[in-house]
């Protein structure tokens, strides 16, 4: 009896290990959320992707599949919120460029960088203090990097403003520069890798902030909901959150670090932005 219990326990642990390492990290979920925005005149569909983490631990097929799902959702725009890689030296540059190029050729695609894409934090981990490797990948792919800057774009026959800031941990965030040319009164989507930046960005005019960074917790304990999240404000770990009359959306991301996920599937986020009746 004791031996049966032992074997059963070992079998369950082995199955959970295999699931966490090989199944769930590749089990993409497409989520769809409706976000009312008062300054919007017409509906806009955006796909929000983040944390691709191109690396030996993340299959190129997973990234391909996330882009295929994004394009199939027929969005007006794709918005990428950083951590394209896990380190700036261990990713397949040619593959990532060809993948991003296919995405950007299908849908206008804009991006900001994350803490893994170079900068102060990467340097502290023994990687590069330069973000140039990823900047050149985006340039060659046709993905527009919002480098502490704003852009006015036409989406569904109306003007929408995108603002992107550099990453907090990378030491590249400069909100004053990002909003210097921003036009007031225009529906504004802010891209910021780390949701902890909301306090620094609070004084500026925006309707919706898109972030990643948390991976949704990546490994989330069932029932207890506990997970390790590398940020201060754990209220903003995943999903759509109201905050001070605006919205913050945190996607769980596509890739991962260390090749594992549990109870927290990789995510392709389709955001239906809709005019809100005043
Ligand atoms: Fe990440």
């Amino acid at each position: 009896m004791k031996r049966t219990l032992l074997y059963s326990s070992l079998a369950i642990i082995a199955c959970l290990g295999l699931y966490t390492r090989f199944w769930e990290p590749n089990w993409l979920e497409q989520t769809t959320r409706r976000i009312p925005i008062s300054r919007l005149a017409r509906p806009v569909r955006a796909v929000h992707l983040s944390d691709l983490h191109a690396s030996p631990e993340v299959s190129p097929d997973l990234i391909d599949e996330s882009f295929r799902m994004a394009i199939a959702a027929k969005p007006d725009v794709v918005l990428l919120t950083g951590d394209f890689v896990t380190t700036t030296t261990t990713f397949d540059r040619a593959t990532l460029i060809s993948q991003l190029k296919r995405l950007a050729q299908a849908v206008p695609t804009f991006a900001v960088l994350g803490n893994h894409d170079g900068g102060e934090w990467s340097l502290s981990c023994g990687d590069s203090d330069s973000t140039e490797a990823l900047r050149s990948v985006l340039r060659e792919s046709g993905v527009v990097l919002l480098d502490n800057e704003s852009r006015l774009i036409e989406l569904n026959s109306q003007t929408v403003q995108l603002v992107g800031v550099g990453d907090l941990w990378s030491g590249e965030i400069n909100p004053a520069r990002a909003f210097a040319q921003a036009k007031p009164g225009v529906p504004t989507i802010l891209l910021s890798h780390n949701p902890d930046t909301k306090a620094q960005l609070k004084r500026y005019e925006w309707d919706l902030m898109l972030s990643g960074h948390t991976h949704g917790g990546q490994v989330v304990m069932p029932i207890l909901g506990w997970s390790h999240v590398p940020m201060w404000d754990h209220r903003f770990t995943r999903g759509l959150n109201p905050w001070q009359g605006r919205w913050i959306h945190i996607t769980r991301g596509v890739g991962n670090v260390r090749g594992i996920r549990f109870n927290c599937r990789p995510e392709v986020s389709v955001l239906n932005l809709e005019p809100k009746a005043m």
Side-chain angles (χ1 to χ4, degrees):
M1 179 66 185
K2 270 187 184 170
R3 186 169 291 184
T4 307
L5 193 63
L6 176 67
Y7 287 156
S8 302
S9 302
L10 288 174
I12 289 168
I13 290 167
C15 287
L16 281 175
L18 291 169
Y19 172 82
T20 303
R21 176 66 186 90
F22 296 108
W23 188 267
E24 188 165 316
N26 297 302
W27 190 17
L28 272 168
E29 180 181 16
Q30 180 173 316
T31 56
T32 303
R33 296 189 171 96
R34 188 185 146 269
I35 308 178
I37 293 180
S38 55
R39 297 194 289 185
L40 213 55
R42 295 183 186 83
V44 167
R45 178 172 296 161
V47 167
H48 177 199
L49 300 174
S50 196
D51 299 80
L52 304 178
H53 280 282
S55 62
E57 290 78 34
V58 173
S59 157
D61 293 345
L62 176 71
I63 295 173
D64 269 339
E65 176 66 3
S66 72
F67 288 0
R68 194 195 60 72
M69 288 167 76
I71 294 166
K74 297 193 179 350
D76 299 299
V77 66
V78 171
L79 303 167
L80 308 171
T81 50
D83 277 5
F84 289 88
V85 297
T86 297
T87 78
T88 62
T89 53
T90 56
F91 71 103
D92 182 338
R93 188 173 186 276
T95 300
L96 184 59
I97 288 174
S98 73
Q99 291 172 320
L100 287 167
K101 200 179 264 183
R102 274 199 302 279
L103 178 67
Q105 281 172 350
V107 187
T109 302
F110 298 83
V112 292
L113 298 179
N115 54 298
H116 281 266
D117 298 324
E120 285 175 10
W121 182 84
S122 291
L123 182 66
S124 73
C125 299
D127 193 9
S128 174
D129 68 341
S130 171
T131 52
E132 183 47 35
L134 269 299
R135 287 170 186 267
S136 70
V137 164
L138 298 182
R139 270 197 305 273
E140 288 182 41
S141 307
V143 173
V144 179
L145 174 64
L146 296 167
D147 185 15
N148 287 308
E149 64 182 280
S150 61
R151 289 263 179 137
L152 291 171
I153 60 169
E154 286 297 305
L155 297 176
N156 194 13
S157 307
Q158 75 199 304
T159 303
V160 172
Q161 186 159 240
L162 301 179
V163 182
V165 292
D167 180 59
L168 178 67
W169 289 7
S170 300
E172 301 230 332
I173 186 169
N174 189 336
R177 199 170 93 201
F179 281 90
Q181 305 298 322
K183 201 171 166 187
V186 179
T188 298
I189 304 171
L190 170 61
L191 277 63
S192 178
H193 177 67
N194 187 328
D196 270 342
T197 52
K198 65 185 183 307
Q200 285 184 55
L201 296 161
K202 182 179 163 183
R203 58 182 285 228
Y204 300 96
E205 197 183 304
W206 47 271
D207 300 282
L208 166 67
M209 182 167 102
L210 303 183
S211 298
H213 182 64
T214 65
H215 303 183
Q218 196 170 305
V219 174
V220 179
M221 289 297 151
I223 303 167
L224 298 173
W226 180 89
S227 61
H228 170 70
V229 183
M231 60 186 288
W232 290 109
D233 191 346
H234 286 199
R235 293 174 304 165
F236 295 84
T237 299
R238 65 186 80 88
L240 182 63
N241 303 271
W243 185 72
Q244 306 214 349
R246 342 174 186 194
W247 296 103
I248 299 177
H249 182 261
I250 304 115
T251 184
R252 299 192 299 264
V254 173
N256 60 73
V257 289
R258 297 181 197 90
I260 56 169
R261 273 189 184 266
F262 184 73
N263 196 27
C264 187
R265 287 168 61 186
E267 183 174 26
V268 171
S269 300
V270 178
L271 306 180
N272 289 323
L273 315 183
E274 295 175 1
K276 179 180 164 188
M278 298 293 279

